[in-house]
Amino acid sequence: MTSNYYKEILEHYNNPKVQSEIAEFCKNRWVGVQCETLDTHGKKVLVRYLGRRRIPLQIHHPMDVKNLVLRFISLKPRTIYATANLYKRLTKEEDVVNLSNIEACMPTWDVDNNLENWDATVQTVKEIISTLESYGVTKSVFVKFSGRGAHVHIHPYAISENLRRKHNPLDLAYAIVEYVREKIHRKVLDIAVRFKAEKLRVDNEIDPQRLFVSPLSIHRENLKVSVCINPRKIEEFNPEEDAKLAKFNHYEGWKSYEEGEANELAEKAYEFVGGYPTLPKPRRRKHPPVDKQIIKWLSLTGFEDRKK
């Protein structure tokens, strides 16, 4: 028996607009579908392959979205993800571990926060966008509501094909995200203090198999839609009203980009940061956790003393 709330999820993925936007985003990416059903470890099942041949899951056309949901209906599919990487081919399991098979990679900043501190998220997103604009990246950026925080993306083809041939796209994307994170680190700390947003952080989650929620997918925990947001109208976005399942406000301009627009930033970032750290090794924090930095900041400014 299908519960009422899950019927809403099925109706959402039956929406032609939803199917079209998800298919557009997932094209040439490795897809993952998180389901309501729990595995033997008590975690939600994540489907990433098809059949015994373990063919990487893909979505090419709008109807693929509906067919995928129906195929795994017994597991109750809920959230659709896709990799930051776009691949030259995805016909066998080995294709997703072959780094030379990466055609392009989407630089992404994961702004994580509590939904209650959305204003702090907005200010952080604006700092990222401002930094990108200072390097001439203005036409290839979009923001996506992630359910609690936001993702800031640069279109993968804003890095030219010539530069992607010179350096692995994964390396370039990782370097861009890390470079900008370092640039805005102090400002993010200031925002966290100003808005008392102890959970606020900006993460670099670019790695060979990282999944990001697809535009117009449903969040894994709440019944909100991961809509895209016009970067120039981020302050107008209301997560309580604009991400409703039945009536969402989605920015379809996320597909726009200018080829080569991010080249200058990519080259500078790659020179400064280098590529993705391929060897697994312990990484020392360059900065303490944000909550500890906030406590230290408050003590240095005397804010705690003024509260007493």
Side-chain angles (χ1 to χ4, degrees):
M1 182 176 178
T2 304
S3 61
N4 288 334
Y5 94 89
Y6 194 71
K7 286 181 180 178
E8 292 182 57
I9 292 176
L10 293 178
E11 289 174 5
H12 177 77
Y13 287 123
N14 201 38
N15 182 332
K17 179 179 179 179
V18 171
Q19 295 172 358
S20 177
E21 291 292 272
I22 290 176
E24 182 68 27
F25 181 79
C26 291
K27 194 179 300 179
N28 298 324
R29 301 176 193 256
W30 182 19
V31 171
V33 178
Q34 192 171 52
C35 305
E36 297 271 274
T37 300
L38 304 181
D39 62 18
T40 55
H41 301 289
K43 296 182 179 180
K44 290 184 177 181
V45 171
L46 179 64
V47 181
R48 300 195 71 173
Y49 296 97
L50 284 177
R52 294 181 179 178
R53 293 173 56 200
R54 290 180 63 81
I55 299 173
L57 206 61
Q58 299 170 72
I59 292 175
H60 299 287
H61 309 288
M63 279 304 295
D64 291 344
V65 176
K66 181 177 180 179
N67 293 337
L68 205 59
V69 171
L70 292 176
R71 179 167 188 155
F72 298 106
I73 192 66
S74 63
L75 298 175
K76 292 188 175 181
R78 179 187 177 103
T79 307
I80 297 176
Y81 299 92
T83 51
N85 293 329
L86 286 79
Y87 296 90
K88 299 171 185 176
R89 62 188 176 278
L90 283 172
T91 58
K92 56 185 183 297
E93 186 176 2
E94 291 78 10
D95 289 339
V96 298
V97 296
N98 180 2
L99 298 185
S100 65
N101 187 37
I102 299 173
E103 172 69 26
C105 187
M106 177 179 64
T108 301
W109 292 263
D110 182 4
V111 183
D112 199 14
N113 198 8
N114 289 332
L115 190 56
E116 294 76 20
N117 290 119
W118 176 251
D119 287 344
T121 300
V122 169
Q123 294 305 312
T124 304
V125 168
K126 288 176 66 177
E127 288 296 342
I128 295 172
I129 292 172
S130 176
T131 302
L132 296 178
E133 288 176 344
S134 71
Y135 287 95
V137 184
T138 60
K139 301 175 182 177
S140 310
V141 180
F142 70 96
V143 181
K144 186 173 78 257
F145 177 58
S146 64
R148 289 197 308 254
H151 295 156
V152 181
H153 301 287
I154 295 178
H155 195 286
Y157 293 129
I159 303 171
S160 70
E161 183 177 359
N162 285 339
L163 189 56
R164 287 185 277 116
R165 286 178 177 175
K166 183 179 178 182
H167 302 292
N168 189 286
L170 176 70
D171 289 333
L172 294 173
Y174 177 87
I176 288 172
V177 176
E178 196 64 21
Y179 183 70
V180 172
R181 282 180 74 237
E182 289 298 316
K183 287 280 186 182
I184 66 170
H185 171 73
R186 176 58 66 180
K187 291 181 179 179
V188 173
L189 178 57
D190 290 343
I191 292 168
V193 171
R194 182 155 36 103
F195 289 91
K196 299 179 181 178
E198 295 184 5
K199 299 296 183 182
L200 176 67
R201 67 177 191 267
V202 179
D203 293 332
N204 181 355
E205 295 192 343
I206 297 296
D207 69 32
Q209 299 183 4
R210 177 64 56 182
L211 293 171
F212 291 99
V213 64
S214 168
L216 296 192
S217 177
I218 296 172
H219 188 261
R220 67 183 185 276
E221 294 174 355
N222 56 52
L223 286 178
K224 292 188 180 296
V225 181
S226 293
V227 295
C228 292
I229 308 167
N230 186 332
R232 293 171 179 79
K233 297 182 178 180
I234 181 69
E235 290 184 301
E236 299 175 19
F237 179 77
N238 183 337
E240 297 297 340
E241 296 296 326
D242 295 329
K244 286 183 176 180
L245 194 59
K247 188 179 180 181
F248 52 82
N249 184 12
H250 174 62
Y251 172 63
E252 295 187 39
W254 66 268
K255 311 173 191 73
S256 300
Y257 71 96
E258 182 176 296
E259 185 176 358
E261 185 181 56
N263 279 12
E264 178 189 348
L265 174 59
E267 291 182 301
K268 189 176 291 289
Y270 186 79
E271 181 181 358
F272 183 82
V273 175
Y276 176 79
T278 53
L279 295 177
K281 55 185 177 182
R283 295 173 62 194
R284 294 180 59 190
R285 280 184 178 270
K286 296 190 72 172
H287 309 287
V290 171
D291 54 349
K292 292 186 178 180
Q293 293 184 64
I294 292 173
I295 294 171
K296 181 179 179 181
W297 181 274
L298 293 175
S299 64
L300 290 173
T301 58
F303 184 79
E304 286 294 330
D305 293 335
R306 292 198 295 272
K307 286 172 60 181
K308 295 177 181 178

